[in-house]
Amino acid sequence: MSYMFPTTVLLSVIIASLTHTTRIARWREQGVFRRQALTQGPLSGLLLGAAIIQILVGLLQGLVMLVFGAALLQLSIDMPGSLIALAVMALAAATFVAMGSFVAAVTRKADIAGYTFIFELLPLAFLGSFPEEMLPATMNAITPWLPTSMATELIGMLFYSGHLPENTAFHLAGLFVYPLIFTLLSTRKLRWDGSPGNRFPGWTQ
């Protein structure tokens, strides 16, 4: 249970991004972006607010799971390290919220967006939960680059030792770069009215 606990906490954080994915796709289907474009409020602010709310929801779910592990499972958890791990959990949540925005940008229907997000999330969470000695060499060349692997290693070390691993800079850089990449891709691909030819306006308002 101690071994799987960091992965469980991380999954409880990032699974909340599914709601964000389907919400953005549904808003586009319902013409919310078209109506928002006619107001004085920037469309980018609408999406940023939705993303921040979903990150906070993910953090709350992760915090509940953390309390559950400490109180009920009686795991030996370093509490100061766990507080630092909340920052890592926020980065992980931001990564998958941004990924969800990109998925919503390239799919036409909310239900398809949800299926696509889960189809991508589950393998990432699965592969990111295994140590190097349990995977073949070919997979070990890939898994360190997965955002789930980066977050799991950071969270696990902080939970149990209160210290960051030696390759912290690499992991943190990845958790900063991934959401930036997905956000940039989303701004280029998101169709505000659901049609294939119109780019999403309002990001610079």
Side-chain angles (χ1 to χ4, degrees):
M1 195 64 201
S2 297
Y3 173 74
M4 294 301 299
F5 183 65
T7 302
T8 304
V9 171
L10 177 64
L11 185 59
S12 67
V13 171
I14 61 181
I15 196 64
S17 304
L18 173 62
T19 303
H20 178 79
T21 304
T22 55
R23 178 186 293 124
I24 297 303
R26 188 174 297 111
W27 279 355
R28 191 187 62 242
E29 286 185 274
Q30 296 172 347
V32 173
F33 297 151
R34 186 195 299 273
R35 296 194 297 271
Q36 178 70 16
L38 300 177
T39 69
Q40 295 182 350
L43 294 172
S44 55
L46 175 66
L47 293 184
L48 180 61
I52 291 175
I53 291 299
Q54 206 59 55
I55 291 171
L56 293 176
V57 170
L59 276 178
L60 179 60
Q61 292 182 180
L63 184 60
V64 169
M65 187 59 65
L66 177 61
V67 173
F68 174 80
L72 299 182
L73 300 179
Q74 297 183 351
L75 297 176
S76 180
I77 296 176
D78 185 272
M79 295 311 297
S82 297
L83 294 177
I84 300 174
L86 291 176
V88 178
M89 291 156 61
L91 289 175
T95 297
F96 282 87
V97 164
M99 188 181 84
S101 297
F102 174 68
V103 170
V106 297
T107 53
R108 288 182 174 272
K109 300 293 184 180
D111 53 348
I112 297 176
Y115 295 144
T116 303
F117 182 82
I118 290 295
F119 182 79
E120 297 175 351
L121 173 65
L122 293 182
L124 290 174
F126 179 76
L127 293 174
S129 63
F130 288 98
E132 294 182 0
E133 58 270 19
M134 294 182 66
L135 294 174
T138 53
M139 293 305 302
N140 285 330
I142 299 173
T143 52
W145 297 89
L146 301 179
T148 46
S149 297
M150 298 172 177
T152 299
E153 184 168 350
L154 291 172
I155 291 172
M157 286 290 292
L158 288 168
F159 276 178
Y160 298 128
S161 69
H163 301 291
L164 291 167
E166 295 181 357
N167 51 356
T168 295
F170 171 76
H171 295 326
L172 289 179
L175 292 176
F176 274 106
V177 170
Y178 274 120
L180 290 177
I181 292 175
F182 284 125
T183 299
L184 290 175
L185 291 174
S186 299
T187 62
R188 296 182 61 86
K189 294 294 184 180
L190 187 59
R191 304 301 190 245
W192 65 280
D193 63 352
S195 65
N198 295 316
R199 288 191 176 181
F200 180 70
W203 287 92
T204 58
Q205 290 184 13

